[in-house]
Structures are given as structure tokens and as C-alpha cells.
Amino acid sequence: MLRIYLINALLLALSTLLVLFSGAASSQATDSSRAYTIGSKNFNENYILGEIISQLLEDSGFTVDRNFGMSGTMVIYEALRTGEVDAYVEYSGTLAEVIFPGEGDSTPAELNQHLQSEGIEALQSFGFNNTYALAMKRDRAVDLGVETVSELAAQENIDLGFSVEFLNRADGWLGLIENYGFTQQAIGMDHGLAYQAIDAGTIDATDAYSTDGDLELFDLIILRDDLNFFPQYYAVPLIHQNLDPQVKNILRQLEGRIDEERMRDLNGRVMLDGKSFAEVASEFLTEEKLFTQTTSAVTGSSIWSNIYQNTLVHLQLTIIALSLGCLVGLPLGVIIYRSKKLSRGMLYVAGLMQTIPSLALLALFIPIFGIGKTPAIIALFLYSLLPILRSTITALLTIDPILKRAAEAIGMTRFQQLRFVLVPLALPNVLSGVKTAAIISIGTATLAAFIGAGGLGEPIVTGLALNNTDLILQGAIPAACLAIITEMLFDALERALVKPHMLVGQLPS
Amino acid sequence: MANSCIKYEVVTKSYGKKIIIKELSLDIPADITTAIVGESGSGKSTLLQMANGLVIPEKGQVSIFSKPINKVSIREQRLKIGYSVQGAGLFPHLSVLHNVTLMARLLDWADDAIQSRFEYLLDLFELDPELSPRYPYSLSGGQQQRVSLCRAMMLNPPLLLLDEPFSALDPVTREIIHSEFLRLQAIESRTTVLVTHDMGEAMKLAQQVIVLYEGRIEQQGSVEDIQNNPASDYVETLFRVGGN
């Protein structure tokens, strides 16, 4: 009967963990009236600007939660609208095109009018315009005598390569053809690869952002948009309307502080000099004498504390999702395994869930659950259901019918049959199903960073944005270690709960 | 004849379109061993499982100890019915001790009562007490079947249902267990129903024999009756193939 006690102890431990973690999560939620959550998109410049805002607020004594690296405008805008994020930096052109499509060029006043209906306010711009631009190698441009986009359009033998998004945007290549009369063919390629291609001379021009930090690195110049075709992308802090007026005043100090050259320089410090966002933001605020307290200069938090924090969040996401998966999947399997129709139906639904790409599922959840940990946990929970449910149903179905008959015939109640015969016999298979679910969850949880849930995906997402392998590894290696440790823990658990002779036909340990 | 222990009243059971038991009525007397003999598919196992509610007939009524069986009451009644099947049906995750004593523990028997009954049964079936912490996989087929009989007898049930318990054993082991079984019958008289395809075994262990053919009773009578006056070619065939 020792094993029965162990199972009970395990269930107790699991539920305690669940309570602890959900307690931690909810206390975070209630404390957020004191702390401000600053968001950022997942590219270099937006991280720096998010960090500048965060440090400025911290300097004034506010607590800041950083919810950085969110993927896509809709994700982060939705987060702001629902109050999960209090402020982030958006671009005027993006607001006009993506959030209010078909409105054309809008003045800040017009935009603000639209935003107000959503409970959002746009502050004055930082001062720079990070617009689309066409970039060429300096010497190639001099050779051809090209300084403006019109002059480029007039060239006959040039090769053009654009990022796929630019190629298909009305304010990108499509609009360029219409306004400048380009007749040349253009090919689509990854933005990072385009810079290498232009460096190698394979293509002559590509799309760029006017504040790209690495324009200088590749010795690229920006062609003047002589017909003023590209929309303006002024960076503006977007804040939640009912934010403390004091916060608004603090952020107003940033108005007009950064021009294009300054932003290129700040971007370059990260992209080229390898500094952290926090360091660059701190340098900027020091240079601008915006820090009121001399003590708050940031040198960047240590790698280890970052890894530790991210791992904790990652574990929190995985353990809550997995516990929910067990709480739902195990009893559900026990209830429905006798009915072939129900089992098949449920496995079909759970399998269908598995085929939805994780990013798509996360994106679908945004309108329902918002961003952050909740939708991430729900998605991970849904992914864990299939392996748990399948292994439970299979394990129960494959128990020798003679044993089931014997258990019933000696006079056990339904519950006793389940507890003393069916569950122990199903345990090895169920455990391996839960183990599979746990390992899938650890892997999939890295994607949760795209919707601001944090975890080990955060350095991976940031690393991808910066093309920084070190950062990617800071997420990938701990995630891999977690997966291995999980495997070992489950093996140990199996050894504790299951007699060796019950593991016939399973992997030798 | 003695009191009836199991009473079948016009019972019918089918799986899908195949009728297994056809409007069968039967009284199984108390205190003696009755053998139900028939070829595979004759419905003998189904008939036995109706007696402890594992199989519920579509039509008709089965009563044990003069009480009709229904899904609710059968749970209590099963505690008065020992059951052992071919291949022993021991729980692989439980030791010999826990296999045999599981139900007594669940019924909150006192520890010393459990222990003494367990030791008595081991002794009865000539099982080494050192086997008690072992798991079924490490026992021989004969030992497993004996442990299975111990489990069936643990609660000292007035009724014992045996579903081909000796069929998978080698002839020597079977011979030994047969004699243990006969000794047990001599010590404690109880109603026993033995399902077997082996007429020789039935002759040896039972006082009454029921021959089943395609879901109905082909012949019923004492061992001598059946032997001396086989009612059909089928019964005769059973003697020929099962006659050791």
C-alpha cells in the first residue's frame, strides 16, 4: 500500500505547487496597481525605447514590470487596450496603417482622437522618423550617381531585393511602383540576408529603416524620398489614458530628445558594440541628464540572474499548465475510456488542437484572454491534454480484461477497482504520457515570450531580433537542461512508484 | 437433492447477433461440486459469470442464496462468492500476500485474523510462506493458480466459482492440485461450480455434471448417470477426448 500513499503525496504536492504558483500569479496581478508594466515590440530600437521609459520611471521611484519582446503590433496594442501593458512605444505610420487602416496620413491630433475612444493616449514624438527607406552601398550609389529614389527608379540595370513584408505592403514596394514608376523586378528575401547580399554586390538596393544601427556597418546610404512617398513613422509613447498624470509628465521629458542620427547611434551601440538595452538606455539618460538620482545608472543585470528569473517563469508556466492538464486529462480519461465513441471523439479534438501551430493558437487567444501568462498557460494546457488523455485511455483500455474481471468479481466497489487495480496498472503508461506532455510544454513554453509571458523564450526572441546567438543560447540551453532534468525526474518518480517488473516493454533505464 | 444455491430462470444472453445462452433454466444444488462441461463457445463461462453478476442476462432471472441478482445488490453478494479463473488473474503489481488479502484489508479485517487465515490457506495449498512477499511474475503457473485459489477462499465464501482454473497447468501439477482440491472439499464442504472442457476432470472433482452445448443444457445428472447413459454423441465425444 506504500505506493498508494506515494501517489496521494504526489497529488498533494502537485496541488500545493499549483496553489503556490497561482497565488504568486494573482498577487502579481493585484500588485500591478502599484507597478507599471512597460511593453516593447521584439526589435532592437523598441527594446531600447522601452528600457529608456522603464528606467526613467524607476528613477522617479516607480516599480516597473518589463513585458518586452512582444510579437506584432496587434498583440502589444491589444495588451495596452486591455490594460495589461501601461505604456509602450509605437510608430505613427504603423498606427495609421495597421490600427486604423484606410485612414491615410493622419495628424497626431486625429490619431489621438481615434485612440481616445480606445482609452489610449499618444504622447508627443521622441523626434525621429523611423521610416522605410531604400538603402544602397555608398560607392555603388556614387558610381551610378544616385541620390534619390527617383534616380534609382530611372536606372535600368539594377537588382532589387526586399524583405517579404515590404514587397507586399501598399506603403512599400507596391506603392513605390505606383509613385516612382519602377519597372524593374524585385526579389523577396530575409531582411538580414538582404544586407549581406547588398554587401556582396548581389543586389544594388534594399529596404531599410532610417534608424537602422547597422547601416553604418555595411556602409549604406539612404536614398532621399524626393516624392515624400513613405509614410512617417514617428516614435510616440502610447500610454493608457488613466495613467497617473505624474507618469505622463515624466515621459514628456523625452519629447523631441532623439533625432534619426541619435537613434541610429543608440541602435548601433546594441547591434555593433554588443551592449545591453539596459546599458544603452542608461547611457542615454545619463547623457541627457534625465536621471535625478546618480545611483540609478544601470550596468545591466547579470546573465545568471536573468537565466534564473526566466527559468522560474518558465517553470511556473509549465507546471501550472501541466497540473491543469493532469487535473483535467486524468479524470476525463478515466471517465470516458469505457466509451469508444467518447474516447475517439475526445482524442480527435485533442489531436486537432495539437495540429494548430502554437504561435497561431497564441495569436487566436489574444482577443479572448489578452496577452501574458494566462493565454500562454491555457495554450500549454491544451497541448498537454492530448498526450495525457491518450496515454490514460490507452493505459486503461490495454489492462488485461481478466484482471478487470477479477477485481470486479472479488467484490471491490467501482472506486476500489479504480484505486487498487486500474490506476496502479495504468500508472506506467500514464506516467510516460505525462512525461511527454511535460517535455512538450517546456519546449512550447519558449514561444510564450511572443505574447509577453516571459520565460526562457524571452532571450530567444530577443536574440532572434538582434541576430545574437549568445542571447538565443541563454534561453535554449536552460530550456534543454530543463527538458533533460524533467526526463530524469519522471524516471525517478517512475522508479519510486512502479515496481521494475511492471515496466516490461518500456525503455531500459 | 439438497437446497438450491444458484437458480437460473429462463435466462438468455447474446453478444451482438450470436446467442450464447438460450432460454436456459437450471438449479445448482448447495454443498456439492457441480461441473459445467462443454466445448469452447458452448456458453459455460458466460453461464458461470451470470452467477456473480459479471454477465447480466437480457432475459430471465438468476438468483443466488434465494436472492435475485441485480447490479446493486451483487456487490455485497460477491463477498460471499470466491472466483478463480484460468491463468490465475493475479494482480501483477501486488505481492502474493496482498493479492490474497486485498479484499480482507478493504473490509477492515483485524490484522491477526488476516494473517492467520492467510497462513492457513498457504498451508492448505502447500505453498511456501516465503512466497508471500514475491510478485506473481516470479511464480510458476501452478503456484499462481494456487495463490488464485487462496484469494478466492480468503473470505471463506459459501460459494466458489472456478472458471477452468486447472486448464493451463501441466498434467503433473494439475494432478497435484486436483488432490489438494479434493482434500479441501473433504475438510470444508461448500457449494462449488467448476467450469471445464475436460470431462475427466469433471468426473474426478464433481458430484454433479451439467453438459452444455450451444447455449443449452445437453444433459444433467450425477457423475454415474452421465457416464453410464450419455444422452447424445456430443456427450460421448466429450468423454472420448477428455478421458485422460
Side-chain angles (χ1 to χ4, degrees):
Chain A
M1 300 300 112
L2 174 66
R3 255 164 311 135
I4 302 301
Y5 293 122
L6 276 174
I7 291 172
N8 285 343
L10 181 75
L11 285 176
L12 188 71
L14 265 180
S15 49
T16 313
L17 271 177
L18 191 66
V19 170
L20 278 179
F21 273 125
S22 54
S26 65
S27 74
Q28 268 175 3
T30 49
D31 279 350
S32 68
S33 55
R34 296 265 161 271
Y36 290 101
T37 306
I38 306 300
S40 94
K41 297 180 166 186
N42 61 345
F43 54 89
N44 195 48
E45 178 174 299
N46 215 264
Y47 278 110
I48 297 175
L49 296 172
E51 192 56 51
I52 288 176
I53 290 179
S54 302
Q55 289 187 20
L56 198 57
L57 289 178
E58 282 171 340
D59 180 60
S60 305
F62 292 100
T63 311
V64 173
D65 278 341
R66 288 168 174 75
N67 209 335
F68 286 1
M70 281 187 257
S71 155
T73 304
M74 283 321 290
V75 173
I76 192 164
Y77 183 78
E78 191 65 20
L80 181 67
R81 212 174 55 77
T82 56
E84 288 178 75
V85 160
D86 294 304
Y88 80 99
V89 177
E90 189 51 276
Y91 298 87
S92 56
T94 308
L95 275 176
E97 285 293 322
V98 181
I99 300 177
F100 307 113
E103 309 264 333
D105 255 0
S106 320
T107 65
E110 283 169 340
L111 270 177
N112 248 331
Q113 210 174 352
H114 286 293
L115 290 170
Q116 257 166 24
S117 62
E118 306 263 80
I120 294 169
E121 182 177 351
L123 301 182
Q124 290 295 311
S125 151
F126 284 96
F128 66 88
N129 176 15
N130 180 6
T131 183
Y132 273 130
L134 294 189
M136 291 182 77
K137 273 306 244 197
R138 186 185 301 278
D139 42 5
R140 180 73 174 144
V142 171
D143 279 356
L144 295 173
V146 170
E147 284 181 4
T148 64
V149 178
S150 295
E151 286 163 2
L152 181 70
Q155 295 291 324
E156 283 184 4
N157 290 317
I158 49 162
D159 295 307
L160 302 171
F162 297 125
S163 66
V164 178
E165 190 188 351
F166 183 82
L167 210 52
N168 293 307
R169 280 180 72 127
D171 59 346
W173 177 235
L174 301 177
L176 281 178
I177 295 174
E178 203 171 298
N179 285 271
Y180 282 97
F182 276 94
T183 53
Q184 297 87 339
Q185 291 295 310
I187 53 166
M189 53 175 60
D190 178 79
H191 190 60
L193 293 179
Y195 276 16
Q196 287 171 23
I198 206 169
D199 204 37
T202 321
I203 55 173
D204 297 304
T206 188
D207 58 308
Y209 298 104
S210 52
T211 56
D212 265 1
D214 46 7
L215 287 173
E216 209 177 314
L217 177 71
F218 290 99
D219 198 24
L220 299 177
I221 59 152
I222 282 175
L223 302 182
R224 195 155 51 77
D225 177 20
D226 49 330
L227 298 182
N228 287 325
F229 160 69
F230 287 120
Q232 294 180 324
Y233 286 86
Y234 284 98
V236 292
L238 284 191
I239 62 170
H240 213 255
Q241 246 171 10
N242 48 20
L243 223 56
D244 190 337
Q246 204 193 337
V247 172
K248 207 151 96 178
N249 288 333
I250 293 168
L251 296 186
R252 283 219 169 110
Q253 298 177 86
L254 294 168
E255 280 175 16
R257 287 267 178 183
I258 309 176
D259 61 11
E260 273 119 82
E261 200 186 330
R262 186 103 166 99
M263 196 63 238
R264 267 202 294 274
D265 169 47
L266 294 177
N267 282 332
R269 291 188 205 180
V270 174
M271 299 291 278
L272 308 179
D273 306 342
K275 292 178 179 171
S276 73
F277 304 127
E279 280 174 282
V280 174
S282 172
E283 285 171 9
F284 168 80
L285 291 169
T286 311
E287 286 157 19
E288 296 288 322
K289 300 188 170 52
L290 287 170
F291 276 143
T292 53
Q293 296 158 18
T294 48
T295 48
S296 53
V298 173
T299 50
S301 47
S302 86
I303 289 181
W304 294 112
S305 89
N306 278 340
I307 290 180
Y308 175 72
Q309 285 300 331
N310 289 333
T311 306
L312 273 190
V313 172
H314 206 84
L315 276 177
Q316 181 189 358
L317 294 175
T318 318
I319 292 179
I320 295 179
L322 192 67
S323 309
L324 286 175
C326 290
L327 282 179
V328 173
L330 299 178
L332 190 62
V334 169
I335 292 167
I336 67 174
Y337 87 97
R338 282 166 198 268
S339 155
K340 246 189 196 144
K341 264 189 199 158
L342 273 179
S343 303
R344 210 172 282 159
M346 275 315 296
L347 286 177
Y348 180 73
V349 171
L352 202 67
M353 213 72 85
Q354 211 81 7
T355 62
I356 305 176
S358 0
L359 262 182
L361 189 64
L362 290 173
L364 287 173
F365 277 173
I366 293 168
I368 314 168
F369 303 112
I371 58 137
K373 288 183 179 132
T374 312
I377 287 170
I378 293 171
L380 290 175
F381 155 69
L382 289 175
Y383 283 122
S384 72
L385 260 188
L386 179 69
I388 293 176
L389 203 56
R390 168 162 289 165
S391 64
T392 308
I393 291 174
T394 315
L396 289 169
L397 279 181
T398 50
I399 292 174
D400 187 349
I402 290 183
L403 298 180
K404 292 183 193 168
R405 226 195 301 152
E408 199 180 344
I410 64 175
M412 288 196 214
T413 62
R414 270 276 164 97
F415 177 74
Q416 286 169 341
Q417 292 169 37
L418 198 63
R419 174 163 171 178
F420 296 104
V421 179
L422 299 182
V423 167
L425 289 177
L427 197 60
N429 282 326
V430 171
L431 267 183
S432 71
V434 176
K435 176 165 74 181
T436 307
I439 288 168
I440 289 177
S441 289
I442 288 171
T444 315
T446 53
L447 293 174
F450 280 114
I451 53 167
L456 290 168
E458 201 166 278
I460 296 179
V461 171
T462 316
L464 284 174
L466 299 182
N467 203 3
N468 179 334
T469 316
D470 286 357
L471 265 179
I472 294 176
L473 290 178
Q474 277 180 38
I477 292 175
C481 291
L482 271 189
I484 293 170
I485 293 170
T486 305
E487 175 99 30
M488 295 196 303
L489 279 178
F490 270 94
D491 287 346
L493 190 68
E494 194 174 70
R495 275 196 295 277
L497 295 180
V498 183
K499 292 275 175 295
H501 70 266
M502 297 295 296
L503 293 173
V504 180
Q506 300 213 2
L507 275 180
S509 51
Chain B
M1 200 171 277
N3 295 332
S4 150
C5 177
I6 309 174
K7 193 176 181 65
Y8 296 89
E9 289 169 283
V10 212
V11 291
T12 297
K13 174 72 193 175
S14 53
Y15 292 113
K17 280 185 181 163
K18 190 168 173 6
I19 297 172
I20 305 295
I21 299 290
K22 216 182 295 177
E23 295 174 355
L24 182 147
S25 294
L26 172 68
D27 278 328
I28 291 182
D31 302 329
I32 62 167
T33 298
T34 300
I36 301 175
V37 189
E39 59 184 3
S40 302
S42 60
K44 56 192 191 299
S45 259
T46 304
L47 195 61
L48 187 77
Q49 288 175 38
M50 282 181 186
N52 62 356
L54 292 178
V55 172
I56 303 288
E58 292 130 33
K59 284 187 211 153
Q61 174 72 57
V62 183
S63 309
I64 58 169
F65 313 120
S66 314
K67 280 186 204 139
I69 289 179
N70 65 55
K71 275 186 181 174
V72 184
S73 67
I74 187 62
R75 221 281 297 174
E76 283 294 314
Q77 287 176 316
R78 278 178 186 146
L79 301 176
K80 291 185 265 176
I81 308 172
Y83 180 68
S84 176
V85 289
Q86 176 176 4
L90 296 178
F91 302 129
H93 61 294
L94 297 180
S95 65
V96 167
L97 172 70
H98 285 148
N99 257 290
V100 175
T101 60
L102 176 60
M103 209 54 223
R105 281 160 190 275
L106 292 179
L107 293 172
D108 283 331
W109 277 29
D111 284 350
D112 48 351
I114 291 176
Q115 191 59 34
S116 64
R117 176 77 184 158
F118 177 66
E119 281 166 12
Y120 168 76
L121 289 169
L122 285 190
D123 187 52
L124 198 66
F125 287 98
E126 300 189 335
L127 284 164
D128 187 340
E130 285 183 5
L131 293 181
S132 72
R134 302 245 305 253
Y135 287 87
Y137 77 97
S138 69
L139 305 182
S140 70
Q143 288 170 328
Q144 291 186 23
Q145 204 62 61
R146 287 183 176 96
V147 173
S148 173
L149 288 168
C150 290
R151 184 174 68 185
M153 302 278 293
M154 181 69 198
L155 302 182
N156 201 10
L159 172 60
L160 193 57
L161 303 180
L162 304 176
D163 193 350
E164 306 225 31
F166 314 118
S167 303
L169 303 177
D170 65 86
V172 178
T173 311
R174 185 162 51 205
E175 201 64 30
I176 296 169
I177 300 189
H178 278 169
S179 53
E180 285 163 11
F181 179 79
L182 288 170
R183 197 175 65 215
L184 174 73
Q185 276 186 311
I187 301 170
E188 309 177 359
S189 98
R190 86 182 69 233
T191 313
T192 304
V193 183
L194 169 71
V195 160
T196 177
H197 60 266
D198 179 349
M199 188 60 97
E201 187 174 79
M203 291 289 132
K204 189 168 166 190
L205 302 181
Q207 287 85 55
Q208 192 197 210
V209 175
I210 290 154
V211 180
L212 217 58
Y213 179 65
E214 291 190 347
R216 48 181 186 74
I217 295 169
E218 184 81 3
Q219 190 172 7
Q220 175 176 11
S222 69
V223 172
E224 295 76 26
D225 278 352
I226 305 270
Q227 195 157 27
N228 298 333
N229 307 302
S232 63
D233 291 350
Y234 175 69
V235 182
E236 270 189 82
T237 312
L238 285 176
F239 272 110
R240 269 207 308 281
V241 296
N244 286 351

